[in-house]
Every structure is written in structure tokens, then in C-alpha cells.
Amino acid sequence: MSAVCTSPSLSSLSLPSQVAVPPAVRRGAWQLAPGQALSLKAQGDSVLSVRQGRIWVTRDATRQQATEDLVLAPGETLRVAAGQRVVMEPWDGFGATYSWDAV
């Protein structure tokens, strides 16, 4: 993972027990609990991929682009440039599963 996590705690990165996440989705991925927000800053060019659920992502503004809010669904990806910060949280009350990989 090529990011710096600016969230105060990583201990709450699991879904509630009533939400079943298939093992194939969990492998190599992280989970966002309902209502949890997480801030990541890419150390190198990276790709955020949604595996389960929907994720609301806010990208910080850059010189070339204003701040941007996006909602990503399973199978969708977002390329994050080196040094760029994103804040993300599940779009609904079910949580979400994502991966963060170097390009």
C-alpha cells in the first residue's frame, strides 16, 4: 500500500458482524465501517478500487483541478496522483471494501 493514513485509528476497519463479506472480496482489501471516514495521501501514483459497497470520495484541490466529490461503485477505480489526498467513507449504512495499490 503506497499511502499515508491520516485517520486517528485503524482499529475500526471492520464491518459489523451482520454484514457478510465474501472471503474473495476481503483478500488484499480493507474495510470501511458504516459512518467511518478515512483520509489517505498517496506516496506514489496509486489506484483506489471499490470491491464491495459504494464509497463517497473527496479529492483535495490541486492547481489543475478544484476539489471533487465522487461516488464509486463496485468495480470502479480512481487514480490518485502522488502527493494527492483523498477522504472517503461508505455511501450508505452497509460499509464498503476497497483496495489501494501502486500504479
Side-chain angles (χ1 to χ4, degrees), residues 62-75:
T62 65
R63 288 183 178 171
Q64 296 82 20
Q65 173 179 340
T67 189
E68 180 178 32
D69 284 327
L70 304 164
V71 176
L72 302 175

Side-chain angles (χ1 to χ4, degrees), residues 12-21 31-34 52 94-97:
S12 60
L13 287 180
S14 60
L15 289 173
S17 60
Q18 71 267 21
V19 177
V21 179
Q31 297 174 342
L32 284 170
Q52 182 181 37
F94 299 107
T97 305

